[in-house]
Amino acid sequence: MAGVPSHVAEDTSPRDPRALRAKPPPSALPPPPEPLSVRLRRAPVTAGLLGVCIVLYAITFVATLAQAADPLDTALRSLWSLSLTDSTDIFRQLGALELSRVWLDGEWWRVATTGLLHGSLLHLVLNSVALLSVGEWIEEAWGHFRTFALFTLASIGGALASLAWCESPIVLGASAGILGEAGALWLARRWGSVDLQEKLAPISATSLAVLILICLGLGLAIPGIAQAGHLGGLAAGLLLGGAWVARARWLKAALSLALALLLGGLAWLGAHPTHRTNYYAILGFRLLADEQPADALILFNRGLERDPENANFRNAVAYQLALDGVELDRAESLSLAALQPNHLNASYLDTLGWIWCRQGHAEAGTRVLQAAAWLAAERFPEPDEHLAGCPSAAIP
């Protein structure tokens, strides 16, 4: 135990009992939390980002309901998911990162807008709570302009990582920007200047690190979460926050250069990510939608060459061969192989049923198509169209 320095005199003056009674007891409750309106006024950039996210979600929700076949069912499902079947065009118009739009149409601006869109009410609420919790401390630590720059660059970093990794045909959400802010905040709390750490004293660096790890863990455990986007946003936030926290000029310059190289490298990889087999699937289905089946089939076959066990490529090639009415034996073989680990997949069953219709086995094809229509979680038109055309679909 450290002793009292000899030059410090002990205070032996008499105490006023009234003064002692006036002091709050050590167990006194902390002051009540500030009203939300006060917190938002103190963090205008964070408040503005929240407002834009809420408004864009409201537009998406109302537009989706307006065109939904069953608005009540769509409204209930929107609590956890706005169906891409109903909302793809709306997300596209509002600026979601649709990967093929970057590859084929050069719409790179989408990497900057997709972080403001959300795919469900739950998605919006969770990200809004996290954005406010982290963003207000970022504005307290570094001011309004840097807060905007941090969120924007981290969100772009996440979008570019999703593009380079080909995570999903459409990627959206503010979580990449939020994780970037959280990473920078952790660095500031852990290694920032004395003044910066005093501002952030109520925050526990350990608790913040645990929350970041939990978020990344959920991304690994839950399908549909853009984990590459999370990692890209976190990396961008750590590099930018590190450049702001660093004291040595050479370290500031090195971290700034690393951030530029990260964003540039992800953009270069994302422009033509042929290293990812998912690239061929996403691009192939886009070409099908653009009525370019021959080019789509080339891409599906390339993907199948790279990953011969991939059920999606097997089914895609089989279906296109059935549509074209060529190589039906190969199409049947690929379809049956795709169904082996996924025998209740409605889309795969629809492919097999149509192949049998094209081969002249109308009765068997009809039964499989009926099963596909019954199993489909969301109704899609192909089984009904194939059922109607099956009796006359045989190739002479």
Side-chain angles (χ1 to χ4, degrees):
M1 181 180 293
V4 178
S6 59
H7 63 275
V8 177
E10 183 179 357
D11 184 4
T12 58
S13 59
R15 301 287 185 181
D16 184 350
R18 292 172 298 177
L20 291 174
R21 285 195 300 270
K23 292 181 179 179
S27 60
L29 294 175
E34 292 180 315
L36 180 60
S37 59
V38 174
R39 297 170 63 188
L40 292 175
R41 282 197 298 269
R42 197 169 56 232
V45 170
T46 300
L49 291 171
L50 282 172
V52 172
C53 289
I54 292 170
V55 169
L56 288 177
Y57 180 78
I59 293 172
T60 307
F61 177 71
V62 171
T64 300
L65 287 189
Q67 66 181 25
D70 187 345
L72 179 59
D73 179 66
T74 300
L76 291 174
R77 285 189 291 107
S78 72
L79 295 175
W80 63 89
S81 175
L82 281 172
S83 169
L84 287 179
T85 303
D86 297 328
S87 306
T88 298
D89 287 341
I90 302 165
F91 284 135
R92 180 184 300 130
Q93 292 168 21
L94 292 177
L97 178 61
E98 188 175 10
L99 274 57
S100 66
R101 297 277 159 179
V102 177
W103 298 329
L104 293 180
D105 306 309
E107 295 178 359
W108 285 92
W109 55 269
R110 293 181 179 275
V111 302
T113 57
T114 195
L116 301 172
L117 297 168
H118 292 84
S120 72
L121 183 60
L122 179 62
H123 192 198
L124 174 69
V125 169
L126 291 176
N127 275 353
S128 295
V129 172
L131 180 58
L132 177 60
S133 301
V134 177
E136 61 181 335
W137 287 108
I138 295 291
E139 293 199 54
E140 174 72 19
W142 282 310
H144 310 315
F145 175 77
R146 285 191 173 188
T147 299
F148 181 77
L150 175 59
F151 178 87
T152 301
L153 289 176
S155 185
I156 289 174
L160 290 174
S162 291
L163 186 67
W165 197 246
C166 303
E167 283 191 289
S168 173
I170 295 181
V171 179
L172 43 82
S175 51
I178 295 168
L179 274 169
E181 289 189 335
L185 188 62
W186 176 76
L187 284 177
R189 183 64 184 89
R190 187 71 178 79
W191 286 290
S193 64
V194 174
D195 179 61
L196 195 56
Q197 294 205 41
E198 285 180 357
K199 291 180 180 179
L200 303 176
I203 299 175
S204 166
T206 301
S207 298
L208 189 59
V210 169
L211 289 174
I212 292 172
L213 291 175
I214 289 174
C215 184
L216 295 178
L218 290 174
L220 290 173
I222 301 176
I225 292 180
Q227 183 72 338
H230 284 178
L231 293 171
L234 178 60
L238 287 171
L239 290 172
L240 185 56
W244 291 346
V245 167
R247 294 174 177 81
R249 289 186 177 180
W250 69 268
L251 185 55
K252 288 180 179 289
L255 290 171
S256 299
L257 177 60
L259 176 61
L261 291 174
L262 173 70
L263 297 180
L266 289 174
W268 180 77
L269 285 173
H272 298 287
T274 53
H275 59 287
R276 295 285 295 164
T277 55
N278 209 24
Y279 168 76
Y280 299 98
I282 294 172
L283 201 54
F285 284 114
R286 166 64 192 279
L287 292 176
L288 280 182
D290 289 348
E291 299 183 355
Q292 300 179 49
D295 293 334
L297 183 58
I298 291 172
L299 287 168
F300 291 145
N301 274 309
R302 286 179 182 173
L304 189 59
E305 290 171 3
R306 289 173 173 266
D307 188 2
E309 302 301 316
N310 189 298
N312 286 328
F313 283 125
R314 284 171 168 171
N315 182 71
V317 172
Y319 184 66
Q320 194 56 47
L321 291 175
L323 289 181
D324 294 340
V326 298
E327 299 184 60
L328 292 180
D329 289 340
R330 181 190 178 212
E332 181 183 23
S333 176
L334 288 172
S335 179
L336 290 170
L339 276 164
Q340 284 183 358
N342 306 279
H343 59 281
L344 296 180
N345 186 302
S347 179
Y348 295 179
L349 286 170
D350 173 69
T351 297
L352 180 62
W354 186 238
I355 291 170
W356 283 350
C357 293
R358 299 289 270 170
Q359 288 177 330
H361 310 308
E363 184 178 350
T366 297
R367 287 199 300 269
V368 174
L369 291 171
Q370 288 171 339
W374 185 78
L375 286 169
E378 291 186 12
R379 195 72 174 182
F380 58 102
E382 283 80 1
D384 293 334
E385 294 172 0
H386 293 157
L387 278 168
C390 187
S392 58
I395 301 297

